[in-house]
C-alpha cells in the first residue's frame, strides 16, 4: 500500500467492470472513467480527471489536482487532503447514509479479492472509519441525481425532468 505497483492512466476510458489494485498507482488514475468501479490504495497526480461516470475508491493518498474536470461518477477517498482536490467542478462531502452501504460493499469485495490489509483494517471498525472517507461529487452530476430521485418519488419521467432542467 506504500509502493507504486502499476503505471499511469490505469482505468483510462473504462466503461464497465471492476479494477482492484492492492498498492499505489501512478498518475491519471481513472481519467475519463465512464462506468467502471475501481479501487486502489493510493494514486498520483490528476486522479479521476475528466471522469464522467463510474466509481473510484482510493484507500490512501492522492496526488495534486484530483477531480479536475470531473463531471460525473463519484470518488470516495480515505483521509483526503482537501488541498489536493481541484474544486472547480466538484464538492467534497461526507459519505451519505444512502451511499455508505455501497461503499462498504465495494471495499469488502476489494478486501476479499486482494487480501488488502488496508481494507481489512478499515472494515474492522467500519462505523468509525466511515467518517474518514470523503465523497467527491461533481456539482452537475449531483443535480442530475437529484432530478432522477425526484422523478422516482413523483412517478415522472426522469429524462423529461433532466431535459427540462438543462433547457431551462
Amino acid at each position: 500500500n506504500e509502493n507504486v505497483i502499476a503505471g499511469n492512466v490505469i482505468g483510462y476510458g473504462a466503461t464497465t467492470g471492476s479494477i482492484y489494485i492492492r498498492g499505489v498507482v501512478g498518475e491519471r488514475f481513472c481519467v475519463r472513467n465512464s462506468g467502471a468501479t475501481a479501487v486502489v490504495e493510493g494514486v498520483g497526480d490528476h486522479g479521476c480527471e475528466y471522469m464522467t461516470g463510474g466509481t473510484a475508491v482510493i484507500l490512501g493518498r492522492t496526488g495534486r489536482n484530483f477531480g479536475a474536470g470531473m463531471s460525473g461518477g463519484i470518488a470516495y477517498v480515505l483521509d483526503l487532503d482537501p488541498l489536493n482536490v481541484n474544486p472547480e467542478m466538484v464538492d467534497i462531502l461526507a459519505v451519505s447514509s444512502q451511499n455508505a452501504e455501497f461503499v462498504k460493499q465495494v471495499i469488502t469485495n476489494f478486501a476479499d479479492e486482494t487480501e488488502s490489509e488496508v481494507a481489512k483494517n478499515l472494515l474492522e471498525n467500519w462505523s468509525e472509519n466511515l467518517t474518514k472517507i470523503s465523497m467527491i461529487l461533481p456539482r452537475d452530476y449531483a443535480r442530475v441525481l437529484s432530478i432522477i430521485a425526484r422523478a422516482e418519488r413523483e412517478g415522472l419521467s426522469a429524462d423529461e425532468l433532466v431535459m427540462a432542467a438543462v433547457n431551462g
Side-chain angles (χ1 to χ4, degrees):
N1 70 314
E2 295 178 15
N3 296 309
V4 175
I5 65 162
N8 298 331
V9 297
I10 302 291
Y12 180 92
T15 58
T16 189
S18 299
I19 302 167
Y20 295 142
I21 300 173
R22 182 179 173 187
V24 178
V25 299
E27 296 183 357
R28 294 197 155 84
F29 177 71
C30 278
V31 170
R32 298 195 187 279
N33 176 22
S34 65
T37 297
V39 186
V40 67
E41 294 177 333
V43 301
D45 295 343
H46 315 292
C48 298
E49 188 178 39
Y50 302 113
M51 193 164 131
T52 62
T55 303
V57 178
I58 294 91
L59 303 178
R61 69 165 194 82
T62 65
R64 64 185 174 82
N65 202 35
F66 188 87
M70 185 178 176
S71 62
I74 302 175
Y76 300 93
V77 182
L78 179 65
D79 295 328
L80 177 68
D81 179 351
L83 295 175
N84 286 337
V85 177
N86 184 320
E88 189 174 308
M89 296 177 67
V90 301
D91 290 318
I92 301 170
L93 308 167
V95 177
S96 66
S97 57
Q98 68 190 50
N99 291 23
E101 194 56 41
F102 170 77
V103 175
K104 183 179 183 182
Q105 187 60 57
V106 169
I107 294 171
T108 299
N109 294 347
F110 176 71
D112 291 345
E113 290 292 326
T114 66
E115 298 181 8
S116 165
E117 292 300 318
V118 173
K120 288 178 186 177
N121 291 336
L122 191 62
L123 293 166
E124 283 178 8
N125 192 359
W126 177 248
S127 56
E128 180 181 323
N129 289 329
L130 177 61
T131 64
K132 299 175 185 177
I133 300 173
S134 299
M135 182 170 76
I136 312 304
L137 183 64
R139 289 181 201 100
D140 287 343
Y141 188 58
R143 284 191 279 278
V144 170
L145 292 176
S146 175
I147 291 168
I148 291 169
R150 177 181 156 216
E152 289 174 357
R153 279 192 315 272
E154 297 176 11
L156 302 171
S157 165
D159 290 340
E160 289 176 15
L161 284 178
V162 169
M163 292 309 293
V166 168
N167 294 320

